[in-house]
Amino acid sequence: MGRVARACLPVFLLSGIGAAQNFTQRGFVETSLALYPEAAPNDSGHAVDESLFRYEASYKALPWLRFSGSFDARFDSHQQVERALHIDWQDRSLRRPTLSLRYYNATISRGKLTAEFGKQFIRWGKADILNPTDRFAPKDFLSVTDPGFFAILATRVLYDSGSNSVDVVWQPRFTPSRTPLLNERWTVLPPSLSAIPLRDLGSEFPGRSSFGARWNHVGSGYEASASFFDGFNYLPIFQGAPVVDGTIEFQRQYPALRLYGADAAIPLRWFTAKTEAAYYTSPDGRQDEYLIYVIQLERQIKELSLVAGYAGDAVTSYSRTLQFSPERGFARAVLAHAQYTIDSNRSVALDTAIRQNGQGSWLRSAYSQTFGQHWRATAGFTWIRGDPGDFLGQYHRNSFALLALRYSF
């Protein structure tokens, strides 16, 4: 475990401090079972069981200083989780770590100024369905349609005057998104590669830091932001070449990225209109240059929340590299989300994406119910259909049912 991780371990020992009123903690234990009716060419498994223990703690040392941290322990039946007992703090492994420091940071708040140091979650953008400007939020894509977010090691300074705020982020160490494993169903290989041995050479990470800034303005009847990012794409390109024995060796690389973004929200009488767009440029010429945009409408009707919109893209320059890009895969599609709170214990949610050419569709439904103060059960189903040549359609064998049970403390 590195020096940064060791320095942050006291966050998890704060329960011994006498000022208990300044210490908060919470956590949960969850087990889930995903059932896949169809086998995939590279994955014959029909059931994946996962277990997760998460503990979070926070300590307010001074009126203006707070320390926070979170720890995860995982195990699964499908070897998406490493079988090694070491504490990971980088989130750079191809598989999920067995033990990890999910986040650890210190927050200083003085008046209009807030500064946060350490591993933290940073989210930008206003859209609810897809966030093109969200460049400090790498994701875990081991299951492509159900990604989770990573915290990143960064220094963040936010100045908020009420009507205007400026958010500045410096990321000294790169954190990539986690891509699907080669021998599992969320990696769909072209037929031309199905009979060729592949050798994964791992990842080549950028050496320099990344920087970003976002300005947000709250006006009379609207809110708008502009953002800039200079760093690296957390989604990889794949560089490969055949070797003497006929095997193809490949490596993940992360191209330089310079991004210009904007977003806005306008509350209207019947609904709130939101839009978000980002233009991705490639300083080193190793990825396409393109625009991704989202236009959506949302409305709250008592216990029913509705969001519907369209995500599109436009490519201005093509490269010869192969890039894994779920964000572009969900573009050129109609996207929608609905959630209904039945009562204080029960809720149901529905998400869907339908490509404009009709060649790919994705639907996710979930019903959740709490029992007492600590237990929650969730049952859901994800349905994927389409043409094998479409980003969504290529996962047509990956429809699955999900059962999960959580105990919170």
Side-chain angles (χ1 to χ4, degrees):
M1 183 171 54
R3 288 177 294 176
V4 175
R6 289 197 297 268
C8 295
L9 280 178
V11 172
F12 302 102
L13 303 177
L14 293 172
S15 56
I17 297 176
Q21 66 273 18
N22 292 329
F23 177 77
T24 60
Q25 60 181 333
R26 64 178 183 178
F28 65 82
V29 179
E30 181 177 82
T31 183
S32 63
L33 178 65
L35 300 172
Y36 293 87
E38 296 183 73
N42 59 337
D43 191 342
S44 60
H46 291 277
V48 178
D49 179 73
E50 298 182 73
S51 297
L52 169 63
F53 167 81
R54 176 169 295 164
Y55 174 75
E56 299 178 333
S58 178
Y59 175 63
K60 191 173 183 180
L62 296 168
W64 49 269
L65 176 63
R66 178 178 295 275
F67 297 97
S68 301
S70 177
F71 171 82
D72 280 0
R74 296 178 179 270
F75 183 78
D76 77 333
S77 63
H78 213 55
Q79 296 192 29
Q80 293 178 325
V81 176
E82 294 178 337
R83 299 297 192 259
L85 291 178
H86 68 94
I87 299 180
D88 179 88
W89 60 274
Q90 302 182 82
D91 289 318
R92 285 184 164 186
S93 59
L94 297 181
R95 302 177 189 271
R96 294 168 183 150
T98 305
L99 306 173
S100 66
L101 296 178
R102 184 168 175 253
Y103 66 83
Y104 43 88
N105 53 68
T107 303
I108 299 173
S109 300
R110 299 300 295 263
K112 300 176 181 180
L113 188 67
T114 301
E116 191 165 358
F117 307 91
K119 192 176 181 183
Q120 55 189 287
F121 290 97
I122 299 175
R123 300 297 313 279
W124 282 0
K126 291 186 174 64
D128 299 285
I129 304 173
L130 184 66
N131 295 107
T133 66
D134 207 11
R135 301 325 299 167
F136 289 108
K139 304 175 183 68
D140 183 334
F141 284 112
L142 288 190
S143 297
V144 174
T145 59
D146 295 89
F149 291 94
F150 290 134
I152 64 168
L153 190 66
T155 295
R156 183 183 194 183
V157 178
L158 176 65
Y159 179 82
D160 189 351
S161 65
S163 59
N164 290 281
S165 64
V166 177
D167 189 359
V168 179
V169 178
W170 176 60
Q171 181 185 3
R173 187 177 179 84
F174 178 76
T175 300
S177 285
R178 186 170 285 133
T179 57
L181 298 173
L182 186 63
N183 63 340
E184 296 189 0
R185 64 172 59 244
W186 292 101
T187 293
V188 181
L189 298 174
S192 59
L193 295 178
S194 59
I196 300 177
L198 301 176
R199 183 177 298 130
D200 189 345
L201 300 181
S203 304
E204 180 184 332
F205 298 117
R208 73 171 178 88
S209 60
S210 299
F211 168 83
R214 183 172 184 258
W215 166 75
N216 187 76
H217 175 70
V218 180
S220 178
Y222 73 96
E223 184 176 352
S225 298
S227 58
F228 171 77
F229 174 85
D230 182 33
F232 299 90
N233 199 329
Y234 54 59
L235 295 169
I237 59 174
F238 294 90
Q239 299 284 10
V243 294
V244 177
D245 62 358
T247 299
I248 293 181
E249 296 182 337
F250 70 93
Q251 184 181 55
R252 298 165 189 80
Q253 299 179 358
Y254 298 87
L257 173 64
R258 191 166 295 137
L259 179 144
Y260 306 88
D263 54 72
I266 305 174
L268 301 173
R269 180 180 179 183
W270 297 106
F271 51 80
T272 297
K274 293 183 178 180
T275 184
E276 184 174 339
Y279 181 56
Y280 295 65
T281 68
S282 180
D284 58 11
R286 293 196 298 162
Q287 70 165 48
D288 296 349
E289 297 191 342
Y290 52 91
L291 172 75
I292 297 181
Y293 62 91
V294 178
I295 301 171
Q296 72 172 56
L297 303 176
E298 65 177 55
R299 186 175 182 188
Q300 185 76 33
I301 306 173
K302 295 184 179 180
E303 289 77 25
L304 177 63
S305 174
L306 297 172
V307 179
Y310 176 78
D313 72 344
V315 181
T316 60
S317 177
Y318 289 93
S319 67
R320 295 180 178 273
T321 56
L322 173 65
Q323 184 169 27
F324 175 72
S325 182
E327 294 164 341
R328 294 176 67 183
F330 275 85
R332 301 189 183 185
V334 176
L335 308 174
H337 167 78
Q339 182 165 330
Y340 180 66
T341 302
I342 302 171
D343 53 37
S344 59
N345 296 320
R346 298 176 296 163
S347 65
V348 61
L350 181 70
D351 296 275
T352 187
I354 303 174
R355 300 276 282 191
Q356 66 182 29
N357 57 14
Q359 295 182 359
S361 61
W362 163 77
L363 184 145
R364 178 177 62 196
S365 60
Y367 170 79
S368 183
Q369 181 170 346
T370 60
F371 302 90
Q373 296 181 341
H374 301 285
W375 293 94
R376 174 178 289 274
T378 302
F381 188 76
T382 294
W383 180 261
I384 307 174
R385 282 296 179 265
D387 188 283
D390 179 82
F391 176 82
L392 292 176
Q394 68 179 328
Y395 300 118
H396 62 275
R397 294 185 179 91
N398 288 5
S399 298
F400 66 94
L402 179 69
L403 300 173
L405 183 64
R406 174 180 295 194
Y407 176 81
S408 301
F409 57 89

